[in-house]
Amino acid sequence: MKPARRATLALATLALAFGMPSGGATAAEPAAAAGSAAASAAAPVPTDALRLIDLWLDAQVRHDRVPTLSAGVVIGQDLAWSRGYGHVDSAGRVPVDADTVYSVCSISKLFTSIALMQQWEAGRVSLDDDVARHVPAMAIRRSDPDSAPITLRSLLMHASGLPREADASYWREGAFPSREQLLERLRGQSTIARSYERYQYSNLGMALLGEVVGAVAGQPTTEVVARQVLAPLGMADTRAGLPLDLLGRRLPPGQGPLQRDGTRAVLPPFDTAGLQAAAGYTSTVRDLARFAAWQLRLLQRGGSEVLKVATLREMQRVQWQDADGRNTWGLGFAVSRDGSQNLVSHAGLCPGYRSAWVLAPREGFAVIAMTATTGSENAPYTRPIRQLLNKGWKVAPAKDAEAMAAYVGRYDANPWNSELVVVPWGEGLAMLSLPTGDPAGDLGVLRRVDGDRFRFVRDDGSLGTELRFERDAQGRVSGYTLWAQRTQRLGPLR
C-alpha cells in the first residue's frame, strides 16, 4: 500500500485496506466503432468529480510551483468543464483560462497525420509508398541495406527505423534547422534499425511526413493543415509557430524545470522551423476540445467530415506493437489501454511547454491539460483527471444536494499532510489529502450511518471503520474523530 494513500485520511490511515491503483496503459483493442454507445456522453455531468478535480489541480500547481495550467473536460460535443490556474503575465493581471495559448509541440503530429490521410483518401499517395518517391532528397544511409523501404505507413507508426531527431542540437541550443538544412543533413545520418523492426518515436520522421504532404498538395504543409484541417473544425486559435504578439497577453512565457531553490527559469521563445510539422503548433484548451468533439461526432454519426469515419477508425486502431507489447501506435495517434478503457492520445513537450490530449472514444469524453512549464512527467494531469471522472460517473447524484453541506470543508491534515478536504460525493462524502499524484487511488469515500456517524466504504462496497463528525455549541461541524484521534475543521473549501 502506498504511503500517499495511507496519508489520504490523515490519522484515518489505518481505517481501511484500500486496493492498489490500476497500472499504466497497455496495448489497446481497436477503438469503438461508429454508432457505439457513449455512456458517459449521455450521463449527467459528474459535478462531484469535477469539483474534486478543481481542488486537486489547484493544490498541485501551488505545491509544485507551476505558474500556469489550463485544463478541460469534453463530454460528447461540449467543453463541459474548464479551469485556468495562474496568470499569463508576470504582473498577475491576466488570468489563465481555456483560451490561453500554449505550444502543443508534438500534438502537432496529429494535424500533419490527418493532412496526410486526406491525401491518401484523395488517391494521391499510398501508405506503402517509399518516402523517397515524394521527397527525392531522402538520402539517409541504411544501417541494413536489406531493410524494407521507409514508407509513409512506417512514419505514421514511428516504426521506420529513422533516428528520433534531425542532425542538429536544437532542443538544447534552440537553433532548429530549416527545411532545406534538415533534408541536406540527412546525408550525414543513418537509420538505427530496419524499417518495421522496432518502435522509435521520431520527430525527424514526422517532419518528413510533412514534406510529403507539401509535395503532394503542391503548397506549404502549414497552409494545407490550416485550410483542410483547422478551419473546417473552427480551430481559429491553432496555428503554426509561437504567436509572439500574444506573449504576456494570451501566450504565457515558457518556464523550465523547478530548481532546488524553488525557482523556474523563463526560457526564450523558439521557432521549430523545419520541424514545424512535428512540433511547431500552438493551441488552446478550447480548440483542442473542438478537435476532440469532432472525432467523437464522426465516430458516433459516421459519414465524412474532414476525414471519412473509416479513415479515422483506421488511424485509431493499433497498427504497430513491439514484440514485448509495450509500445502500441495507430496512424499518427498513440493508442493504448488503461483498465477497461481504450484510449487515443498524444502529448507534447517543448522547451517551456507541455500538453496532453487524451480521448476515450467508447465512453465519449476527452481530457486536455496544458501548461507553460517543463521538468516533470509529460502528462501528470490527464490520467488522474480521467480516473476521477470514471469514479464520479459511478456515483449516483445526491437527491438532496444540501444534505452533506455541513461537513464539507478543509480539515487540519498536520502532522501527516499539507491539506485535507472533505467534499460531497453522491449521497455521501469523499475525503482527500493534498497534494497527491494519485487522487483517485487516494480517495476515501464515506457513507452516512446515522446523524453525524459515517463509515468508510471499502473497494468491494462493504463498510469499514467508523468516523464521527463533531459539532460546536452553535451546532456547526467543528471536526471529526477517528480512532480516538480528533481532527479540526479549518473552514470552507475556498
Side-chain angles (χ1 to χ4, degrees):
M1 186 182 297
K2 299 191 307 177
R5 189 162 198 176
R6 294 197 300 271
T8 297
L9 304 185
L11 290 180
T13 55
L14 303 179
L16 295 170
F18 291 113
M20 292 298 288
S22 62
T26 58
E29 296 174 356
S36 65
S40 298
V45 173
T47 306
D48 291 344
L50 292 175
R51 180 190 298 109
L52 191 56
I53 287 166
D54 184 23
L55 291 168
W56 173 70
L57 287 174
D58 183 66
Q60 294 303 112
V61 298
R62 289 176 184 273
H63 284 277
D64 292 341
R65 302 189 184 188
V66 173
T68 60
L69 171 69
S70 296
V73 173
V74 178
I75 302 176
Q77 291 302 291
D78 300 319
L79 179 56
W81 174 89
S82 65
R83 288 288 186 276
Y85 306 88
H87 293 85
V88 174
D89 61 325
S90 58
R93 297 190 182 96
V94 184
V96 170
D97 59 21
D99 297 309
T100 298
V101 177
Y102 299 87
S103 164
V104 297
C105 205
S106 289
I107 294 176
S108 307
K109 294 177 172 67
L110 296 181
F111 310 142
T112 301
S113 299
I114 290 167
L116 187 280
M117 295 305 291
Q118 289 175 330
Q119 304 302 315
W120 173 78
E121 284 187 344
R124 299 189 184 102
V125 298
S126 165
L127 296 187
D128 295 318
D129 283 349
D130 191 324
V131 176
R133 176 180 176 182
H134 304 285
V135 185
M138 178 69 175
I140 194 167
R141 296 192 305 270
R142 305 300 175 92
S143 58
D144 183 343
D146 295 323
S147 171
I150 297 174
T151 66
L152 306 186
R153 188 187 306 275
S154 71
L155 296 182
L156 287 163
M157 299 187 304
H158 295 279
S160 65
L162 288 173
R164 180 184 175 98
E165 305 294 348
D167 187 15
S169 182
Y170 37 86
W171 295 122
R172 289 284 189 178
E173 300 173 15
F176 285 80
S178 66
R179 292 177 50 246
E180 294 76 16
Q181 290 171 328
L182 182 146
L183 294 172
E184 175 62 29
R185 293 174 187 178
L186 281 174
R187 299 179 182 277
Q189 292 188 265
S190 174
T191 59
I192 62 169
R194 293 186 295 273
S195 186
Y196 298 103
E197 180 182 6
R198 66 181 68 244
Y199 167 84
Q200 171 57 64
Y201 188 83
S202 179
N203 287 315
L204 174 60
M206 194 58 63
L208 291 172
L209 201 72
E211 291 296 316
V212 173
V213 171
V216 172
Q219 56 189 292
T221 305
T222 54
E223 293 183 15
V224 177
V225 169
R227 189 183 69 256
Q228 296 183 196
V229 180
L230 304 178
L233 299 181
M235 297 173 64
D237 267 335
T238 303
R239 57 180 70 80
L242 286 177
L244 296 183
D245 58 315
L246 299 181
L247 189 65
R249 296 191 295 118
R250 292 185 60 204
L251 171 71
Q255 298 191 28
L258 190 66
Q259 302 300 311
R260 286 193 177 195
D261 63 1
T263 63
R264 294 179 184 270
V266 176
L267 303 180
F270 57 89
D271 179 356
T272 55
L275 281 96
Q276 207 156 57
Y281 282 76
T282 55
S283 190
T284 66
V285 162
R286 196 176 305 280
D287 262 13
L288 291 185
R290 294 185 175 104
F291 188 56
W294 159 64
Q295 293 171 60
L296 293 173
R297 182 169 64 246
L298 185 58
L299 291 170
Q300 185 177 32
R301 299 176 185 174
S304 179
E305 182 187 359
V306 178
L307 289 174
K308 296 176 182 177
V309 66
T311 303
L312 184 61
R313 288 189 197 131
E314 193 69 6
M315 295 180 75
Q316 294 185 346
R317 73 174 180 88
V318 174
Q319 300 275 349
W320 174 263
Q321 180 173 320
D322 270 349
D324 60 9
R326 294 181 61 186
N327 293 304
T328 55
W329 215 266
L331 298 177
F333 290 91
V335 184
S336 59
R337 186 174 178 87
D338 192 5
S340 63
Q341 286 183 327
N342 294 326
L343 304 173
V344 178
S345 65
H346 216 295
L349 181 64
C350 274
Y353 300 92
R354 72 166 179 248
S355 54
W357 177 95
V358 59
L359 182 79
R362 184 173 57 198
E363 292 78 10
F365 76 97
V367 178
I368 305 153
M370 311 170 78
T371 183
T373 56
T374 52
S376 59
E377 62 178 295
N378 201 36
Y381 305 114
T382 52
R383 188 168 188 255
I385 292 173
R386 181 171 51 79
Q387 291 174 330
L388 284 173
L389 288 171
N390 289 336
K391 281 201 167 189
W393 267 307
K394 295 176 182 178
V395 177
K399 296 176 183 177
D400 181 1
E402 296 301 315
M404 297 291 122
Y407 307 104
V408 172
R410 294 184 180 273
Y411 288 73
D412 186 1
N414 288 302
W416 313 113
N417 294 98
S418 297
E419 305 176 33
L420 177 66
V421 295
V422 174
V423 296
W425 195 254
E427 295 289 351
L429 297 168
M431 183 178 283
L432 183 66
S433 280
L434 300 170
T436 171
D438 182 17
D442 291 348
L443 192 68
V445 176
L446 290 160
R447 184 181 301 171
R448 179 183 249 158
V449 178
D450 58 58
D452 291 331
R453 288 196 311 128
F454 288 75
R455 292 179 68 181
F456 287 103
V457 181
R458 298 190 182 98
D459 288 345
D460 63 4
S462 63
L463 297 183
T465 302
E466 179 180 304
L467 179 149
R468 185 187 295 271
F469 286 95
E470 299 174 349
R471 294 180 182 265
D472 60 19
Q474 287 74 41
R476 296 170 299 195
V477 173
S478 58
Y480 67 81
T481 296
L482 176 70
W483 282 357
Q485 309 301 308
R486 189 178 185 280
T487 297
Q488 181 183 2
R489 183 177 185 271
L490 299 176
L493 292 174
R494 296 291 192 187

